[in-house]
């Protein structure tokens, strides 16, 4: 029987999001243990440049801009399960968030985004900015986790590390 490739597209479920908790920006990103965020069904990675207007008298009829930095945000949503502690880092992430906030610290994590048919591997140092939990009567318990890139505090590690998949 012939094995034919019918599409160059791959389902989003093949892209995994892992989180390394309680680590600093100077950690070796390849030696960290990334726990899966578990029963998720939606991931959205958004990045955009921040620009400065450099229009001057010689710019002519169009404005001129330069990119001065870039932001990056990640939103992950899915289901909360009673067996979560055995399946993923969801409960640990929520607990970690509140412990760091209550201690007056930044809830920072390393995120890894990868997949068998995804052509890139991301290692991103991010603030866990919080999320939400939903408990509707006739639906599964849901959760959303929101992250924003932040400085690692060291020149040894970039906050955003992007490489081709191995």
């Amino acid at each position: 029987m012939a094995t034919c490739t019918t599409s160059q597209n791959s389902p989003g479920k093949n892209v995994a999001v892992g989180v390394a908790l309680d680590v600093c920006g100077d950690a070796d990103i390849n030696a960290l243990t990334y726990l899966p965020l578990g029963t998720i069904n939606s991931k959205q990675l958004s990045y955009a440049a921040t620009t400065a207007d450099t229009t001057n008298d010689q710019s002519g009829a169009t404005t001129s801009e330069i990119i001065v930095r870039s932001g990056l945000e990640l939103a992950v949503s899915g289901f909360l399960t009673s067996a979560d502690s055995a399946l993923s880092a969801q409960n640990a992430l929520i607990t970690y968030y509140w412990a760091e906030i209550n201690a007056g610290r930044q809830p920072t994590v390393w995120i890894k985004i990868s997949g068998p048919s995804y052509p890139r591997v991301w290692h991103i140092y991010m603030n866990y900015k919080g999320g939400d939990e939903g408990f509707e009567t006739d639906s599964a318990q849901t959760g959303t986790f929101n992250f924003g890139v932040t400085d690692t505090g060291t020149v040894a590690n970039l906050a955003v590390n992007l490489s081709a998949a191995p």
Side-chain angles (χ1 to χ4, degrees):
M1 173 180 259
T3 304
C4 302
T5 302
T6 58
S7 174
Q8 296 300 314
N9 295 327
S10 180
K13 68 182 180 181
N14 292 341
V15 176
V17 176
V19 60
L21 300 172
D22 204 18
V23 292
C24 296
D26 61 354
D28 179 354
I29 60 175
N30 295 306
L32 295 174
T33 299
Y34 293 92
L35 302 171
L37 273 178
T39 53
I40 56 178
N41 62 1
S42 177
K43 305 135 218 152
Q44 180 72 42
L45 184 64
S46 303
Y47 43 91
T50 303
T51 61
D53 187 338
T54 58
T55 307
N56 60 43
D57 292 345
Q58 288 79 40
S59 296
T62 53
T63 58
S64 178
E65 292 183 331
I66 59 170
I67 295 174
V68 293
R69 54 182 64 87
S70 183
L72 190 143
E73 293 188 349
L74 173 66
V76 179
S77 62
F79 302 102
L80 304 174
T81 67
S82 59
D84 175 65
S85 59
L87 298 174
S88 76
Q90 289 179 356
N91 286 335
L93 182 59
I94 293 167
T95 302
Y96 173 72
Y97 172 82
W98 284 108
E100 292 299 287
I101 293 296
N102 288 335
R105 295 186 297 260
Q106 299 293 310
T108 53
V109 298
W110 276 101
I111 295 286
K112 181 179 180 182
I113 303 170
S114 62
S117 58
Y118 183 58
R120 292 175 284 287
V121 176
W122 296 84
H123 291 92
I124 312 165
Y125 193 60
M126 306 187 99
N127 275 326
Y128 173 43
K129 301 190 321 182
D132 61 67
E133 298 178 57
F135 312 103
E136 295 179 28
T137 300
D138 296 326
S139 296
Q141 297 174 24
T142 60
T144 301
F145 306 92
N146 299 301
F147 304 90
V149 69
T150 191
D151 185 29
T152 63
T154 176
V155 294
N157 273 357
L158 298 173
V160 179
N161 300 272
L162 177 60
S163 61

